[in-house]
Amino acid sequence: MSATASTTAKPQESTAVRILKKPITATLLAIVLGFAVAAILLAVAGYDPIASFTALFEGIFAKPKYISNTIIKAAPIILTGISVAFAFKTGMFNIGAEGQYVAGTICALIAGTMLNLPMPLQIPVVILAGVAGGAIIGGITGFLKARFGIHEVITAIMLNWTMLYMNNFVVNSEMFHQPSSTSSIAINPSGFTTILPEWKLSDAGLETLRNIPWLYDFLVKTDVNIAFLVAVAVAVLIWFVLFRSKLGFELRAVGFNHDAAEFAGMPVERNTVLAMLIAGGISGLAGALMITGIQPHSLSTLAGFENYG
């Protein structure tokens, strides 16, 4: 090797440096630092950090029903998190995931109450209605950004509140209101995505599950549903779309450099709208799965956001 080549050769990174550069390392460090800061704050406030963290983990892992409830609560947060992350990768800040989530619940409720198809048809129709609701709200944000340059943060925040009041309008409408309550009527049972909803409460189901205490605790005492499995599948699908498809390359290119993407002949406006349509649809999916999967399978009057988005 010549002297010139040896001087210009890129020095090899050590194993430690390569490990530190991995995304999983940053995630783990963030978790550790989060617990460290929380421990300091608890100690300053006069609380025992060890006892506090013990109570936290016991509340998650001490019983099967606690694990089940954690999974149930995690599913919509994972989906709306994917929605925000997807939009971010395409150069958009989707602060409207909450409104898109609410839109998903509204559309899922309307479809689930007005239709009563056989379960294999009802569930996809109700879920697709929720996805469409979230996608429409996300698409509005993307369209206004692409066509008129209106910043997505402003539009999304306004639409969040619009959807909150739309939720309350639907709940209190004559068609959907549950008398003597602050809730809407429930969707038809054929749209439920709870795991084994009828069997686990039947005599045969209860007799079988009582012989398996942990499974009884996990299934019968909670509304465990398919949302978590769907969230994992969506995460894999979105990764594939973003990093293993032509569409994902174009969406990321537009987000990385709007002008360069336009110069390369990519449809920038279309991709901006499409990115928010997809992001909104994912948040709408979260809302639909909550309506179909969790009791009472209905909407409630909202005084504030549920903070899923």
Side-chain angles (χ1 to χ4, degrees), residues 59-123:
I60 300 173
F61 300 112
K63 294 182 179 180
K65 70 176 180 180
Y66 295 165
I67 299 173
S68 182
N69 279 323
T70 300
I71 291 172
I72 292 168
K73 290 292 185 182
I77 297 172
I78 293 171
L79 284 168
T80 53
I82 294 169
S83 171
V84 174
F86 175 84
F88 187 76
K89 285 291 185 181
T90 63
M92 302 284 284
F93 185 28
N94 185 23
I95 203 171
E98 186 78 31
Q100 296 150 15
Y101 168 88
V102 174
T105 64
I106 294 170
C107 292
L109 177 96
I110 293 172
T113 54
M114 297 188 71
L115 299 174
N116 193 14
L117 305 170
M119 185 175 286
L121 293 176
Q122 180 81 351
I123 291 175

Side-chain angles (χ1 to χ4, degrees), residues 73-293:
K73 290 292 185 182
I77 297 172
I78 293 171
L79 284 168
T80 53
I82 294 169
S83 171
V84 174
F86 175 84
F88 187 76
K89 285 291 185 181
T90 63
M92 302 284 284
F93 185 28
N94 185 23
I95 203 171
E98 186 78 31
Q100 296 150 15
Y101 168 88
V102 174
T105 64
I106 294 170
C107 292
L109 177 96
I110 293 172
T113 54
M114 297 188 71
L115 299 174
N116 193 14
L117 305 170
M119 185 175 286
L121 293 176
Q122 180 81 351
I123 291 175
V125 168
V126 173
I127 290 176
L128 287 174
V131 171
I136 289 170
I137 300 304
I140 292 172
T141 301
F143 174 78
L144 293 175
K145 172 69 177 285
R147 182 59 59 89
F148 303 107
I150 301 173
H151 201 284
E152 66 271 19
V153 169
I154 304 236
T155 310
I157 290 173
M158 295 174 70
L159 285 171
N160 283 346
W161 288 100
T162 301
M163 287 301 101
L164 183 144
Y165 290 115
M166 179 62 73
N167 174 92
N168 293 350
F169 173 80
V170 171
V171 169
N172 291 293
S173 65
E174 184 177 349
M175 181 178 292
F176 299 105
H177 183 65
Q178 178 70 37
S180 303
S181 75
T182 58
S183 301
S184 71
I185 57 176
I187 66 170
N188 290 307
S190 57
F192 292 178
T193 56
T194 311
I195 294 176
L196 301 174
E198 295 180 2
W199 177 81
K200 70 181 182 180
L201 296 177
S202 67
D203 292 339
L206 289 172
E207 184 178 352
T208 301
L209 292 171
R210 283 195 183 100
N211 296 323
I212 315 173
W214 73 267
L215 191 57
Y216 178 89
D217 207 37
F218 189 89
L219 284 178
V220 177
K221 294 185 178 181
T222 69
D223 287 327
V224 63
N225 56 76
I226 67 170
F228 185 80
L229 299 176
V230 173
V232 173
V234 169
V236 174
L237 177 62
I238 291 301
W239 171 83
F240 181 84
V241 169
L242 275 175
F243 300 105
R244 292 292 184 273
S245 71
K246 177 186 174 184
L247 173 63
F249 174 79
E250 288 192 359
L251 292 175
R252 287 187 292 117
V254 171
F256 183 73
N257 192 317
H258 178 283
D259 295 329
E262 190 171 25
F263 181 77
M266 296 180 185
V268 172
E269 288 191 5
R270 188 202 72 181
N271 285 341
T272 299
V273 176
L274 183 59
M276 287 305 298
L277 276 170
I278 295 173
I282 298 170
S283 293
L285 173 63
L289 289 171
M290 289 302 97
I291 287 292
T292 60

